[in-house]
Short mmCIF file of all heavy atoms in Angstrom, two decimals:
data_model
loop_
_atom_site.label_atom_id
_atom_site.label_comp_id
_atom_site.label_asym_id
_atom_site.label_seq_id
_atom_site.Cartn_x
_atom_site.Cartn_y
_atom_site.Cartn_z
N MET A 1 13.91 -8.81 -18.74
CA MET A 1 12.67 -8.41 -18.11
C MET A 1 12.95 -8.10 -16.64
O MET A 1 13.66 -8.80 -15.97
CB MET A 1 11.66 -9.56 -18.24
CG MET A 1 10.26 -9.16 -17.88
SD MET A 1 9.11 -10.45 -18.46
CE MET A 1 7.89 -10.30 -17.24
N SER A 2 12.37 -7.00 -16.17
CA SER A 2 12.62 -6.59 -14.79
C SER A 2 11.73 -7.39 -13.82
O SER A 2 10.73 -7.96 -14.23
CB SER A 2 12.37 -5.11 -14.63
OG SER A 2 11.04 -4.80 -14.95
N ASP A 3 12.15 -7.40 -12.58
CA ASP A 3 11.38 -8.08 -11.55
C ASP A 3 10.03 -7.37 -11.35
O ASP A 3 9.94 -6.15 -11.48
CB ASP A 3 12.12 -8.08 -10.21
CG ASP A 3 13.36 -8.93 -10.26
OD1 ASP A 3 13.44 -9.85 -11.09
OD2 ASP A 3 14.29 -8.67 -9.46
N PRO A 4 9.00 -8.12 -11.06
CA PRO A 4 7.69 -7.50 -10.83
C PRO A 4 7.71 -6.67 -9.53
O PRO A 4 8.45 -6.97 -8.60
CB PRO A 4 6.75 -8.68 -10.71
CG PRO A 4 7.57 -9.79 -10.24
CD PRO A 4 8.94 -9.59 -10.86
N VAL A 5 6.91 -5.61 -9.51
CA VAL A 5 6.72 -4.86 -8.29
C VAL A 5 5.84 -5.70 -7.36
O VAL A 5 4.82 -6.24 -7.79
CB VAL A 5 6.05 -3.51 -8.57
CG1 VAL A 5 5.70 -2.79 -7.29
CG2 VAL A 5 6.91 -2.66 -9.48
N ILE A 6 6.26 -5.86 -6.13
CA ILE A 6 5.49 -6.63 -5.17
C ILE A 6 4.68 -5.71 -4.30
O ILE A 6 5.22 -4.75 -3.68
CB ILE A 6 6.39 -7.53 -4.33
CG1 ILE A 6 7.05 -8.58 -5.22
CG2 ILE A 6 5.63 -8.17 -3.19
CD1 ILE A 6 8.05 -9.48 -4.52
N VAL A 7 3.37 -5.93 -4.23
CA VAL A 7 2.47 -5.19 -3.36
C VAL A 7 2.06 -6.15 -2.25
O VAL A 7 1.45 -7.17 -2.51
CB VAL A 7 1.20 -4.71 -4.12
CG1 VAL A 7 0.27 -3.96 -3.16
CG2 VAL A 7 1.61 -3.80 -5.30
N ARG A 8 2.46 -5.82 -1.03
CA ARG A 8 2.16 -6.71 0.08
C ARG A 8 0.93 -6.21 0.80
O ARG A 8 0.83 -5.06 1.17
CB ARG A 8 3.34 -6.71 1.06
CG ARG A 8 3.23 -7.75 2.17
CD ARG A 8 4.51 -7.81 2.97
NE ARG A 8 5.68 -8.04 2.16
CZ ARG A 8 6.10 -9.26 1.74
NH1 ARG A 8 5.41 -10.34 2.06
NH2 ARG A 8 7.17 -9.36 0.97
N CYS A 9 -0.07 -7.12 0.94
CA CYS A 9 -1.28 -6.81 1.69
C CYS A 9 -1.03 -7.10 3.13
O CYS A 9 -1.01 -8.24 3.59
CB CYS A 9 -2.45 -7.67 1.19
SG CYS A 9 -2.75 -7.57 -0.56
N ARG A 10 -0.81 -6.06 3.91
CA ARG A 10 -0.51 -6.27 5.32
C ARG A 10 -1.81 -6.61 6.07
O ARG A 10 -2.84 -5.98 5.86
CB ARG A 10 0.10 -5.00 5.93
CG ARG A 10 0.58 -5.19 7.33
CD ARG A 10 1.35 -4.01 7.83
NE ARG A 10 2.66 -3.96 7.20
CZ ARG A 10 3.51 -2.96 7.33
NH1 ARG A 10 3.15 -1.90 8.03
NH2 ARG A 10 4.69 -3.00 6.77
N ASP A 11 -1.78 -7.65 6.90
CA ASP A 11 -2.96 -8.06 7.63
C ASP A 11 -3.52 -6.87 8.41
O ASP A 11 -2.79 -6.20 9.16
CB ASP A 11 -2.62 -9.18 8.62
CG ASP A 11 -2.46 -10.53 7.94
OD1 ASP A 11 -2.75 -10.64 6.73
OD2 ASP A 11 -2.01 -11.48 8.64
N ASN A 12 -4.80 -6.61 8.20
CA ASN A 12 -5.54 -5.55 8.89
C ASN A 12 -4.88 -4.18 8.72
O ASN A 12 -4.99 -3.31 9.63
CB ASN A 12 -5.68 -5.86 10.40
CG ASN A 12 -6.28 -7.23 10.62
OD1 ASN A 12 -7.22 -7.60 9.92
ND2 ASN A 12 -5.75 -7.98 11.56
N GLY A 13 -4.21 -3.98 7.62
CA GLY A 13 -3.49 -2.71 7.42
C GLY A 13 -3.38 -2.37 5.94
O GLY A 13 -4.15 -2.81 5.10
N PRO A 14 -2.38 -1.57 5.64
CA PRO A 14 -2.21 -1.01 4.28
C PRO A 14 -1.64 -1.97 3.28
O PRO A 14 -1.21 -3.07 3.60
CB PRO A 14 -1.29 0.17 4.56
CG PRO A 14 -0.39 -0.32 5.65
CD PRO A 14 -1.32 -1.13 6.56
N PHE A 15 -1.60 -1.47 2.06
CA PHE A 15 -0.79 -2.08 1.00
C PHE A 15 0.60 -1.51 1.11
O PHE A 15 0.74 -0.26 1.17
CB PHE A 15 -1.36 -1.75 -0.37
CG PHE A 15 -2.72 -2.33 -0.68
CD1 PHE A 15 -3.77 -1.50 -0.97
CD2 PHE A 15 -2.93 -3.70 -0.67
CE1 PHE A 15 -5.03 -2.01 -1.26
CE2 PHE A 15 -4.18 -4.24 -0.97
CZ PHE A 15 -5.23 -3.39 -1.24
N VAL A 16 1.61 -2.32 1.14
CA VAL A 16 3.01 -1.85 1.23
C VAL A 16 3.70 -2.13 -0.07
O VAL A 16 3.69 -3.27 -0.57
CB VAL A 16 3.70 -2.51 2.41
CG1 VAL A 16 5.16 -2.04 2.50
CG2 VAL A 16 2.98 -2.18 3.73
N LEU A 17 4.32 -1.08 -0.61
CA LEU A 17 5.00 -1.17 -1.90
C LEU A 17 6.39 -0.56 -1.81
O LEU A 17 6.65 0.27 -0.94
CB LEU A 17 4.26 -0.35 -2.98
CG LEU A 17 2.81 -0.61 -3.23
CD1 LEU A 17 1.91 0.18 -2.32
CD2 LEU A 17 2.51 -0.28 -4.69
N PRO A 18 7.27 -0.96 -2.71
CA PRO A 18 8.57 -0.29 -2.78
C PRO A 18 8.38 1.21 -3.06
O PRO A 18 7.53 1.59 -3.89
CB PRO A 18 9.29 -0.96 -3.92
CG PRO A 18 8.48 -2.18 -4.26
CD PRO A 18 7.13 -1.96 -3.77
N ALA A 19 9.18 2.04 -2.44
CA ALA A 19 9.06 3.48 -2.66
C ALA A 19 9.51 3.90 -4.04
O ALA A 19 9.35 5.06 -4.42
CB ALA A 19 9.83 4.24 -1.59
N SER A 20 10.02 2.95 -4.80
CA SER A 20 10.46 3.27 -6.17
C SER A 20 9.28 3.43 -7.11
O SER A 20 9.44 3.94 -8.22
CB SER A 20 11.40 2.18 -6.69
OG SER A 20 10.75 0.93 -6.67
N VAL A 21 8.08 3.02 -6.69
CA VAL A 21 6.90 3.22 -7.53
C VAL A 21 6.52 4.70 -7.49
O VAL A 21 6.86 5.41 -6.55
CB VAL A 21 5.69 2.35 -7.09
CG1 VAL A 21 6.06 0.88 -7.13
CG2 VAL A 21 5.16 2.78 -5.77
N GLN A 22 5.79 5.11 -8.50
CA GLN A 22 5.28 6.48 -8.51
C GLN A 22 3.77 6.40 -8.32
O GLN A 22 3.09 5.69 -9.06
CB GLN A 22 5.62 7.16 -9.82
CG GLN A 22 5.34 8.65 -9.82
CD GLN A 22 5.84 9.32 -11.06
OE1 GLN A 22 5.58 8.94 -12.18
NE2 GLN A 22 6.63 10.38 -10.85
N VAL A 23 3.27 7.10 -7.34
CA VAL A 23 1.82 7.16 -7.04
C VAL A 23 1.32 8.46 -7.61
O VAL A 23 1.85 9.55 -7.29
CB VAL A 23 1.55 7.04 -5.53
CG1 VAL A 23 0.06 7.11 -5.27
CG2 VAL A 23 2.16 5.78 -4.95
N VAL A 24 0.30 8.39 -8.47
CA VAL A 24 -0.21 9.58 -9.12
C VAL A 24 -1.69 9.71 -8.80
O VAL A 24 -2.41 8.74 -8.52
CB VAL A 24 0.03 9.57 -10.64
CG1 VAL A 24 1.50 9.51 -10.95
CG2 VAL A 24 -0.72 8.42 -11.30
N ASP A 25 -2.20 10.96 -8.87
CA ASP A 25 -3.62 11.19 -8.65
C ASP A 25 -4.38 10.91 -9.96
O ASP A 25 -3.79 10.51 -10.97
CB ASP A 25 -3.87 12.59 -8.11
CG ASP A 25 -3.55 13.72 -9.08
OD1 ASP A 25 -3.37 13.43 -10.30
OD2 ASP A 25 -3.43 14.86 -8.66
N ALA A 26 -5.68 11.18 -9.94
CA ALA A 26 -6.50 10.86 -11.11
C ALA A 26 -6.11 11.68 -12.34
O ALA A 26 -6.44 11.28 -13.47
CB ALA A 26 -7.96 11.12 -10.77
N ASP A 27 -5.39 12.76 -12.12
CA ASP A 27 -4.94 13.59 -13.25
C ASP A 27 -3.52 13.25 -13.69
O ASP A 27 -2.96 13.92 -14.58
CB ASP A 27 -5.01 15.08 -12.88
CG ASP A 27 -6.46 15.52 -12.56
OD1 ASP A 27 -7.40 15.02 -13.24
OD2 ASP A 27 -6.64 16.34 -11.65
N GLY A 28 -2.92 12.27 -13.03
CA GLY A 28 -1.59 11.87 -13.38
C GLY A 28 -0.50 12.65 -12.67
O GLY A 28 0.70 12.48 -12.95
N LYS A 29 -0.87 13.49 -11.73
CA LYS A 29 0.11 14.30 -10.99
C LYS A 29 0.70 13.45 -9.85
O LYS A 29 -0.08 12.90 -9.06
CB LYS A 29 -0.57 15.57 -10.45
CG LYS A 29 0.39 16.50 -9.74
CD LYS A 29 -0.36 17.75 -9.30
CE LYS A 29 0.55 18.61 -8.45
NZ LYS A 29 -0.20 19.71 -7.81
N PRO A 30 2.01 13.39 -9.74
CA PRO A 30 2.60 12.51 -8.73
C PRO A 30 2.51 13.06 -7.31
O PRO A 30 2.63 14.26 -7.09
CB PRO A 30 4.06 12.39 -9.17
CG PRO A 30 4.31 13.62 -9.96
CD PRO A 30 3.02 13.99 -10.60
N PHE A 31 2.29 12.15 -6.35
CA PHE A 31 2.39 12.50 -4.94
C PHE A 31 3.89 12.47 -4.58
O PHE A 31 4.62 11.59 -5.05
CB PHE A 31 1.62 11.49 -4.07
CG PHE A 31 0.15 11.60 -4.18
CD1 PHE A 31 -0.56 10.84 -5.10
CD2 PHE A 31 -0.55 12.48 -3.34
CE1 PHE A 31 -1.93 10.95 -5.20
CE2 PHE A 31 -1.93 12.58 -3.44
CZ PHE A 31 -2.62 11.83 -4.37
N ALA A 32 4.30 13.36 -3.73
CA ALA A 32 5.68 13.38 -3.29
C ALA A 32 5.91 12.26 -2.27
O ALA A 32 5.04 11.96 -1.45
CB ALA A 32 5.99 14.72 -2.62
N ILE A 33 7.05 11.63 -2.41
CA ILE A 33 7.46 10.58 -1.47
C ILE A 33 8.78 11.02 -0.86
O ILE A 33 9.71 11.40 -1.59
CB ILE A 33 7.59 9.21 -2.18
CG1 ILE A 33 6.21 8.79 -2.69
CG2 ILE A 33 8.18 8.16 -1.22
CD1 ILE A 33 6.21 7.51 -3.51
N ALA A 34 8.85 11.02 0.43
CA ALA A 34 10.03 11.51 1.13
C ALA A 34 11.28 10.76 0.67
O ALA A 34 11.23 9.54 0.53
CB ALA A 34 9.85 11.41 2.63
N ALA A 35 12.34 11.50 0.49
CA ALA A 35 13.58 10.87 0.09
C ALA A 35 14.07 9.93 1.15
O ALA A 35 13.86 10.15 2.36
CB ALA A 35 14.62 11.97 -0.14
N GLY A 36 14.66 8.84 0.72
CA GLY A 36 15.24 7.89 1.68
C GLY A 36 14.28 6.80 2.11
O GLY A 36 14.71 5.85 2.77
N LYS A 37 13.02 6.91 1.76
CA LYS A 37 12.08 5.85 2.11
C LYS A 37 12.33 4.61 1.25
O LYS A 37 12.58 4.73 0.05
CB LYS A 37 10.63 6.32 1.90
CG LYS A 37 10.16 7.32 2.92
CD LYS A 37 8.63 7.45 2.88
CE LYS A 37 8.17 7.37 4.26
NZ LYS A 37 7.14 6.64 4.69
N GLU A 38 12.24 3.46 1.88
CA GLU A 38 12.39 2.22 1.11
C GLU A 38 11.04 1.65 0.70
O GLU A 38 10.94 0.94 -0.30
CB GLU A 38 13.18 1.19 1.93
CG GLU A 38 14.63 1.60 2.09
CD GLU A 38 15.49 0.53 2.72
OE1 GLU A 38 15.03 -0.63 2.79
OE2 GLU A 38 16.60 0.87 3.13
N VAL A 39 10.03 1.89 1.51
CA VAL A 39 8.67 1.42 1.21
C VAL A 39 7.66 2.52 1.51
O VAL A 39 7.94 3.44 2.27
CB VAL A 39 8.27 0.14 2.04
CG1 VAL A 39 9.17 -1.02 1.68
CG2 VAL A 39 8.29 0.43 3.53
N ILE A 40 6.51 2.40 0.86
CA ILE A 40 5.39 3.29 1.18
C ILE A 40 4.17 2.42 1.51
O ILE A 40 4.12 1.26 1.11
CB ILE A 40 5.04 4.22 0.01
CG1 ILE A 40 4.68 3.43 -1.24
CG2 ILE A 40 6.18 5.19 -0.26
CD1 ILE A 40 4.12 4.29 -2.36
N ALA A 41 3.25 2.97 2.27
CA ALA A 41 2.03 2.25 2.64
C ALA A 41 0.83 3.01 2.13
O ALA A 41 0.67 4.22 2.41
CB ALA A 41 1.98 2.10 4.17
N LEU A 42 0.02 2.33 1.37
CA LEU A 42 -1.22 2.92 0.82
C LEU A 42 -2.41 2.47 1.64
O LEU A 42 -2.58 1.27 1.89
CB LEU A 42 -1.39 2.54 -0.65
CG LEU A 42 -0.32 3.03 -1.61
CD1 LEU A 42 -0.63 2.55 -3.03
CD2 LEU A 42 -0.18 4.53 -1.58
N CYS A 43 -3.25 3.46 2.01
CA CYS A 43 -4.42 3.15 2.81
C CYS A 43 -5.41 2.29 2.05
O CYS A 43 -5.68 2.52 0.85
CB CYS A 43 -5.10 4.44 3.23
SG CYS A 43 -6.62 4.21 4.18
N ARG A 44 -5.92 1.29 2.70
CA ARG A 44 -7.01 0.51 2.11
C ARG A 44 -8.20 0.41 3.04
O ARG A 44 -9.16 -0.29 2.75
CB ARG A 44 -6.57 -0.87 1.64
CG ARG A 44 -6.12 -1.83 2.69
CD ARG A 44 -5.88 -3.20 2.07
NE ARG A 44 -5.32 -4.11 3.02
CZ ARG A 44 -5.55 -5.39 3.04
NH1 ARG A 44 -6.32 -5.93 2.13
NH2 ARG A 44 -4.97 -6.16 3.95
N CYS A 45 -8.14 1.12 4.18
CA CYS A 45 -9.28 1.09 5.11
C CYS A 45 -10.20 2.29 4.92
O CYS A 45 -11.32 2.27 5.36
CB CYS A 45 -8.76 1.05 6.53
SG CYS A 45 -8.15 2.64 7.16
N GLY A 46 -9.70 3.37 4.30
CA GLY A 46 -10.50 4.54 4.06
C GLY A 46 -10.44 5.56 5.17
O GLY A 46 -11.01 6.65 5.04
N ALA A 47 -9.73 5.28 6.26
CA ALA A 47 -9.76 6.18 7.42
C ALA A 47 -8.58 7.15 7.47
O ALA A 47 -8.59 8.06 8.30
CB ALA A 47 -9.80 5.36 8.71
N SER A 48 -7.61 7.01 6.62
CA SER A 48 -6.42 7.88 6.66
C SER A 48 -6.81 9.31 6.39
O SER A 48 -7.62 9.60 5.49
CB SER A 48 -5.38 7.41 5.66
OG SER A 48 -4.32 8.31 5.62
N LYS A 49 -6.16 10.21 7.08
CA LYS A 49 -6.32 11.64 6.80
C LYS A 49 -5.20 12.10 5.85
O LYS A 49 -5.08 13.31 5.57
CB LYS A 49 -6.29 12.45 8.08
CG LYS A 49 -7.55 12.21 8.94
CD LYS A 49 -7.60 13.13 10.13
CE LYS A 49 -8.88 13.09 10.91
NZ LYS A 49 -9.70 11.89 10.89
N ASN A 50 -4.41 11.16 5.37
CA ASN A 50 -3.30 11.46 4.46
C ASN A 50 -3.39 10.58 3.22
O ASN A 50 -2.40 10.08 2.74
CB ASN A 50 -1.96 11.27 5.18
CG ASN A 50 -0.79 11.75 4.37
OD1 ASN A 50 -0.90 12.72 3.63
ND2 ASN A 50 0.33 11.07 4.50
N LYS A 51 -4.62 10.38 2.72
CA LYS A 51 -4.80 9.52 1.57
C LYS A 51 -4.01 10.08 0.35
O LYS A 51 -3.91 11.29 0.24
CB LYS A 51 -6.28 9.42 1.18
CG LYS A 51 -7.11 8.70 2.21
CD LYS A 51 -8.54 8.63 1.73
CE LYS A 51 -9.48 8.12 2.77
NZ LYS A 51 -9.87 9.13 3.75
N PRO A 52 -3.48 9.26 -0.44
CA PRO A 52 -3.67 7.80 -0.48
C PRO A 52 -2.78 7.00 0.46
O PRO A 52 -2.79 5.79 0.43
CB PRO A 52 -3.34 7.46 -1.95
CG PRO A 52 -2.29 8.42 -2.28
CD PRO A 52 -2.63 9.72 -1.58
N PHE A 53 -2.04 7.70 1.31
CA PHE A 53 -1.10 7.02 2.16
C PHE A 53 -1.75 6.62 3.51
O PHE A 53 -2.67 7.30 3.99
CB PHE A 53 0.15 7.89 2.42
CG PHE A 53 0.84 8.25 1.14
CD1 PHE A 53 0.68 9.51 0.61
CD2 PHE A 53 1.60 7.32 0.47
CE1 PHE A 53 1.29 9.86 -0.61
CE2 PHE A 53 2.23 7.65 -0.74
CZ PHE A 53 2.07 8.94 -1.27
N CYS A 54 -1.25 5.59 4.08
CA CYS A 54 -1.70 5.14 5.40
C CYS A 54 -1.10 6.04 6.47
O CYS A 54 0.07 6.42 6.41
CB CYS A 54 -1.21 3.69 5.61
SG CYS A 54 -1.44 3.03 7.27
N ASP A 55 -1.92 6.43 7.44
CA ASP A 55 -1.43 7.20 8.57
C ASP A 55 -1.58 6.45 9.88
O ASP A 55 -1.42 7.07 10.96
CB ASP A 55 -2.11 8.56 8.65
CG ASP A 55 -3.57 8.50 8.99
OD1 ASP A 55 -4.10 7.38 9.15
OD2 ASP A 55 -4.20 9.57 9.13
N GLY A 56 -1.88 5.17 9.80
CA GLY A 56 -2.04 4.36 11.02
C GLY A 56 -3.44 4.34 11.57
O GLY A 56 -3.71 3.63 12.53
N ALA A 57 -4.35 5.08 10.98
CA ALA A 57 -5.72 5.17 11.50
C ALA A 57 -6.45 3.83 11.50
O ALA A 57 -7.36 3.60 12.26
CB ALA A 57 -6.54 6.19 10.71
N HIS A 58 -6.01 2.91 10.63
CA HIS A 58 -6.63 1.58 10.56
C HIS A 58 -6.58 0.86 11.90
O HIS A 58 -7.47 0.04 12.21
CB HIS A 58 -5.99 0.71 9.47
CG HIS A 58 -4.54 0.48 9.70
ND1 HIS A 58 -3.54 1.31 9.22
CD2 HIS A 58 -3.90 -0.50 10.40
CE1 HIS A 58 -2.37 0.84 9.59
NE2 HIS A 58 -2.55 -0.23 10.31
N LYS A 59 -5.59 1.16 12.71
CA LYS A 59 -5.42 0.48 13.98
C LYS A 59 -6.55 0.77 14.95
O LYS A 59 -6.90 -0.08 15.77
CB LYS A 59 -4.08 0.86 14.63
CG LYS A 59 -2.89 0.43 13.81
CD LYS A 59 -1.61 0.97 14.43
CE LYS A 59 -0.43 0.77 13.47
NZ LYS A 59 0.73 1.52 13.87
N GLY A 60 -7.11 1.97 14.89
CA GLY A 60 -8.13 2.38 15.86
C GLY A 60 -9.54 2.25 15.36
O GLY A 60 -10.49 2.60 16.06
N MET A 61 -9.74 1.75 14.13
CA MET A 61 -11.11 1.69 13.61
C MET A 61 -11.57 0.29 13.32
O MET A 61 -12.64 0.08 12.73
CB MET A 61 -11.26 2.57 12.37
CG MET A 61 -10.27 2.34 11.27
SD MET A 61 -10.79 1.12 10.03
CE MET A 61 -11.98 2.03 9.14
N GLY A 62 -10.81 -0.71 13.79
CA GLY A 62 -11.24 -2.09 13.64
C GLY A 62 -11.19 -2.64 12.24
O GLY A 62 -11.91 -3.59 11.92
N PHE A 63 -10.35 -2.08 11.43
CA PHE A 63 -10.23 -2.56 10.06
C PHE A 63 -9.75 -3.99 10.08
O PHE A 63 -8.76 -4.33 10.72
CB PHE A 63 -9.27 -1.68 9.25
CG PHE A 63 -9.10 -2.13 7.83
CD1 PHE A 63 -10.14 -2.11 6.94
CD2 PHE A 63 -7.86 -2.55 7.37
CE1 PHE A 63 -9.99 -2.48 5.62
CE2 PHE A 63 -7.67 -2.96 6.06
CZ PHE A 63 -8.76 -2.93 5.19
N ALA A 64 -10.45 -4.85 9.37
CA ALA A 64 -10.10 -6.27 9.32
C ALA A 64 -10.01 -6.73 7.86
O ALA A 64 -10.98 -6.62 7.12
CB ALA A 64 -11.13 -7.10 10.07
N ALA A 65 -8.83 -7.20 7.48
CA ALA A 65 -8.64 -7.71 6.13
C ALA A 65 -7.38 -8.57 6.18
O ALA A 65 -6.28 -8.06 6.35
CB ALA A 65 -8.49 -6.58 5.15
N CYS A 66 -7.57 -9.84 6.13
CA CYS A 66 -6.42 -10.78 6.19
C CYS A 66 -6.50 -11.76 5.00
O CYS A 66 -6.34 -12.97 5.19
CB CYS A 66 -6.42 -11.55 7.49
SG CYS A 66 -6.23 -10.50 8.95
N GLU A 67 -6.72 -11.21 3.82
CA GLU A 67 -6.81 -12.11 2.65
C GLU A 67 -5.51 -12.86 2.46
O GLU A 67 -4.43 -12.34 2.63
CB GLU A 67 -7.08 -11.27 1.39
CG GLU A 67 -8.33 -10.45 1.44
CD GLU A 67 -8.12 -9.08 2.04
OE1 GLU A 67 -6.97 -8.77 2.46
OE2 GLU A 67 -9.08 -8.30 2.07
N LYS A 68 -5.67 -14.10 2.06
CA LYS A 68 -4.51 -14.95 1.74
C LYS A 68 -4.67 -15.40 0.30
O LYS A 68 -5.78 -15.80 -0.15
CB LYS A 68 -4.43 -16.15 2.68
CG LYS A 68 -4.29 -15.79 4.16
CD LYS A 68 -3.04 -14.99 4.45
CE LYS A 68 -2.99 -14.59 5.91
NZ LYS A 68 -2.12 -13.47 6.15
N ALA A 69 -3.58 -15.36 -0.43
CA ALA A 69 -3.59 -15.82 -1.81
C ALA A 69 -3.79 -17.34 -1.81
O ALA A 69 -3.26 -18.04 -0.94
CB ALA A 69 -2.31 -15.44 -2.51
N PRO A 70 -4.52 -17.85 -2.79
CA PRO A 70 -4.67 -19.31 -2.84
C PRO A 70 -3.34 -20.00 -3.19
O PRO A 70 -2.47 -19.40 -3.80
CB PRO A 70 -5.67 -19.52 -4.00
CG PRO A 70 -5.62 -18.25 -4.80
CD PRO A 70 -5.21 -17.16 -3.88
N ALA A 71 -3.22 -21.19 -2.72
CA ALA A 71 -2.01 -21.98 -3.00
C ALA A 71 -1.92 -22.21 -4.50
O ALA A 71 -2.95 -22.37 -5.17
CB ALA A 71 -2.05 -23.31 -2.25
N PRO A 72 -0.69 -22.20 -5.05
CA PRO A 72 -0.54 -22.48 -6.48
C PRO A 72 -1.07 -23.89 -6.78
O PRO A 72 -0.94 -24.80 -5.98
CB PRO A 72 0.94 -22.38 -6.72
CG PRO A 72 1.59 -21.94 -5.45
CD PRO A 72 0.56 -22.00 -4.37
N ALA A 73 -1.61 -24.01 -7.97
CA ALA A 73 -2.10 -25.33 -8.40
C ALA A 73 -0.95 -26.29 -8.59
O ALA A 73 0.12 -25.89 -9.05
CB ALA A 73 -2.89 -25.16 -9.72
N ALA A 74 -1.17 -27.54 -8.20
CA ALA A 74 -0.14 -28.54 -8.36
C ALA A 74 0.03 -28.85 -9.85
O ALA A 74 -0.92 -28.80 -10.61
CB ALA A 74 -0.57 -29.82 -7.63
N SER A 75 1.29 -29.08 -10.25
CA SER A 75 1.54 -29.37 -11.67
C SER A 75 2.01 -30.79 -11.83
O SER A 75 2.32 -31.52 -10.95
CB SER A 75 2.53 -28.39 -12.24
OG SER A 75 3.73 -28.41 -11.49
S1 LIG B 1 -4.82 1.33 5.97
FE1 LIG B 1 -3.77 2.49 7.44
S2 LIG B 1 -4.98 4.27 7.64
FE2 LIG B 1 -6.04 3.08 6.20
#
């Protein structure tokens, strides 16, 4: 079984994923990802002019999202 893809929720910013994932539109057509990238950032603030990718616009619009995953239950 392969390792799971990790999606990192960056505080007050985008979702960051390995560039090995394929991002497709609603019709299944893939978005191009520049060669050599190790990670990609997906906008979650809605302000990017390059959706679905983050263009840094979240920094100037006061986007706030610092969700933390709950601690694992004790066993
Ligand atoms: S999260 Fe960066 S522009 Fe939206």
Side-chain angles (χ1 to χ4, degrees):
M1 192 166 149
S2 61
D3 292 336
V5 174
I6 294 176
V7 179
R8 188 172 306 277
C9 304
R10 187 172 286 172
D11 284 352
N12 307 319
F15 295 120
V16 178
L17 305 87
S20 58
V21 301
Q22 190 173 52
V23 180
V24 299
D25 67 14
D27 298 323
K29 185 178 173 189
F31 288 93
I33 296 175
K37 287 196 133 225
E38 292 188 14
V39 296
I40 59 171
L42 297 179
C43 178
R44 66 173 174 147
C45 77
S48 175
K49 291 187 172 26
N50 188 33
K51 294 181 189 80
F53 302 103
C54 171
D55 68 358
H58 60 270
K59 296 174 190 166
M61 54 90 74
F63 179 64
C66 297
E67 302 88 356
K68 301 299 177 201
S75 55

